[in-house]
Amino acid sequence: MDIKTNFMGHVINSPLIVGSCVLTSNISTLIDIEKAGAGAVILKSLFEEQITQEMNVNIKVNSDNFRGYPEAYNYIQEHIRDRAIDNYISLVKEAKQALTIPVIASINCITVSEWLPFIKQIEMAGADGIELNVFIFPSDINLSNDDIERLYNEIIQVAKRATSLPISLKISPYFSNPTRFAQKVSWLGISNLSIFNRFYQSDIDIDNFTTKPVNITSSHDEIYNTIRWTAVISPQIRCTLTAGNGVHREDDVIKLLLAGASTVQVVSVLYKEGLEFITKANERLKKWMEEKEYSSIKDFKGKLAIKNNKEASAFYRINFMKYYSGIK
Ligand SMILES: Cc1cc2nc3c(=O)[nH]c(=O)nc-3n(C[C@H](O)[C@H](O)[C@H](O)COP(=O)(O)O)c2cc1C
């Protein structure tokens, strides 16, 4: 049974991709991920904030020592930045040496510039592609929707000019019109769109008047939002689609392929159930294809996307009106 699929210019042996997380920053875990049957890996992100914060902390601590010596000060700043980059470049090189599946580097970007100089270095280190994990937090009252979307466009355009590697864009669901946005960015020449990223969430501690992190990993309930948007967005874009966020059951992989994804990204389930999930999900997919008499993924991919099946119009339904009217 052939479960090969296309991803960022590569034909990969399984649609299961391990998304960017701490697991993908460790070489021995990466080897186990490949052994478990993943089609590709996205390395832990190099965070733009991580570099600038590291620089700022050192600037605060040390700037007094450099009064009158701006060149020395700049040199130190660059050294600090290079260390974060050097570590990341080593990760890319070691991962490439250890694995045969595609190794995709990941950069978290919030501006158009800070991360740009590293992109060529990542290419030279041998990465098979770059995922840009972009999120412009829409809290600035002065930024319009257009301003924010323009920033995404600029990020993609400068990245494309800086590297010949295939680019995947990983986005959140927080757009006024995610479908229109997805279509527009797909026209900019990205090779893959990845939906959806997951964010750090905070709760309020009512006794201590503080905040605390919650839900670090996803839950299965989140899959339904991903299924809906995969079915809605997949027929509208000019690149492949990776779907993820909330994949916790083997059948979720099949559902997302039916909704039009070419690949499925998993993270939280691997923390909860271990890497065997990848092996089990591949087996389940093959068994299901055999039962349904499909010989390859392309035979059923997108069968439940909104353009291809009237059953899929349910994904447009957002109110419970009819459902509740039958409940006494
Ligand atoms: C512990 C942890 C670390 C993560 N680190 C990153 C990261 O560095 N870069 C990134 O793009 N996404 C990161 N993510 C988000 C995941 O790649 C993924 O998009 C998200 O968890 C949704 O998929 P899931 O439901 O399978 O977990 C992280 C997620 C977790 C749980």
Side-chain angles (χ1 to χ4, degrees):
M1 196 59 54
D2 182 5
I3 58 165
K4 288 193 176 74
T5 187
N6 294 316
F7 178 59
M8 298 181 77
H10 305 273
V11 176
I12 57 174
N13 288 331
S14 158
L16 271 116
I17 289 176
V18 178
S20 182
C21 64
V22 184
L23 297 173
T24 61
S25 62
N26 177 293
I27 297 297
S28 74
T29 312
L30 284 167
I31 292 170
D32 290 342
I33 286 171
E34 173 164 319
K35 279 191 194 143
V41 286
I42 318 287
L43 298 180
K44 171 98 187 108
S45 300
L46 175 63
F47 282 84
E48 184 178 325
E49 278 162 313
Q50 190 188 332
I51 297 160
T52 42
Q53 253 176 31
E54 203 176 303
M55 282 165 65
N56 289 340
V57 168
N58 279 274
I59 289 162
K60 273 198 203 110
V61 173
N62 296 329
S63 60
D64 279 354
N65 301 342
F66 290 98
R67 227 169 259 149
Y69 301 98
E71 290 88 355
Y73 183 58
N74 287 345
Y75 175 80
I76 295 290
Q77 265 181 274
E78 273 169 28
H79 176 71
I80 294 161
R81 178 206 288 249
D82 285 349
R83 212 176 43 205
I85 301 160
D86 283 352
N87 289 343
Y88 200 76
I89 298 300
S90 301
L91 173 66
V92 175
K93 283 185 181 158
E94 285 169 29
K96 271 304 292 175
Q97 261 173 12
L99 306 183
T100 59
I101 56 176
V103 172
I104 311 299
S106 165
I107 307 183
N108 165 268
C109 331
I110 46 177
T111 68
V112 182
S113 59
E114 276 298 324
W115 47 274
L116 198 58
F118 325 141
I119 209 165
K120 201 71 201 170
Q121 294 187 46
I122 288 174
E123 181 178 336
M124 306 284 279
D128 295 298
I130 296 192
E131 184 168 272
L132 298 176
N133 155 17
V134 186
F135 185 52
I136 317 287
F137 190 62
S139 61
D140 182 345
I141 204 89
N142 297 311
L143 277 182
S144 69
N145 299 349
D146 284 348
D147 293 334
I148 292 177
E149 293 190 9
R150 207 172 301 121
L151 214 49
Y152 278 83
N153 291 353
E154 281 176 34
I155 285 173
I156 295 165
Q157 279 160 349
V158 294
K160 273 194 68 66
R161 279 199 293 271
T163 179
S164 54
L165 287 176
I167 292 174
S168 174
L169 177 72
K170 186 177 186 186
I171 58 168
S172 77
Y174 306 119
F175 291 93
S176 304
N177 185 341
T179 317
R180 184 180 156 86
F181 173 77
Q183 183 174 74
K184 279 170 67 185
V185 287
S186 78
W187 289 343
L188 296 176
I190 54 171
S191 78
N192 187 67
L193 181 73
S194 181
I195 61 171
F196 289 115
N197 204 353
R198 171 180 182 75
F199 300 113
Y200 180 91
Q201 296 177 356
S202 292
D203 192 11
I204 289 181
D205 180 329
I206 59 170
D207 292 318
N208 297 310
F209 303 98
T210 53
T211 59
K212 55 182 181 186
V214 281
N215 300 337
I216 302 296
T217 50
S218 67
S219 64
H220 184 251
D221 279 355
E222 293 170 56
I223 191 70
Y224 303 109
N225 194 46
T226 308
I227 291 176
R228 161 178 277 160
W229 287 107
T230 300
V232 173
I233 290 174
S234 64
Q236 305 290 354
I237 58 175
R238 203 182 279 171
C239 62
T240 54
L241 185 77
T242 297
N245 198 29
V247 175
H248 285 258
R249 297 180 190 159
E250 292 149 29
D251 286 2
D252 295 339
V253 176
I254 301 168
K255 292 176 189 179
L256 290 170
L257 296 172
L258 281 167
S262 295
T263 47
V264 173
Q265 227 181 79
V266 284
V267 169
S268 295
V269 70
L270 306 182
Y271 281 93
K272 291 180 180 171
E273 290 189 22
L275 304 180
E276 308 87 76
F277 177 82
I278 301 168
T279 317
K280 286 193 272 176
N282 278 337
E283 289 310 315
R284 171 70 184 128
L285 173 61
K286 285 180 192 163
K287 193 159 177 284
W288 178 85
M289 284 169 62
E290 212 172 287
E291 278 164 22
K292 302 289 178 200
E293 299 180 352
Y294 291 126
S295 56
S296 77
I297 288 180
K298 68 175 175 354
D299 296 342
F300 65 91
K301 191 186 97 177
K303 201 172 160 64
L304 267 289
I306 43 151
K307 271 198 178 160
N308 299 336
N309 190 316
K310 64 177 176 15
E311 282 300 313
S313 62
F315 294 121
Y316 277 148
R317 200 175 301 143
I318 50 162
N319 292 317
F320 288 103
M321 203 170 62
K322 255 193 193 162
Y323 184 81
Y324 282 135
S325 65
I327 296 176
K328 300 225 167 61

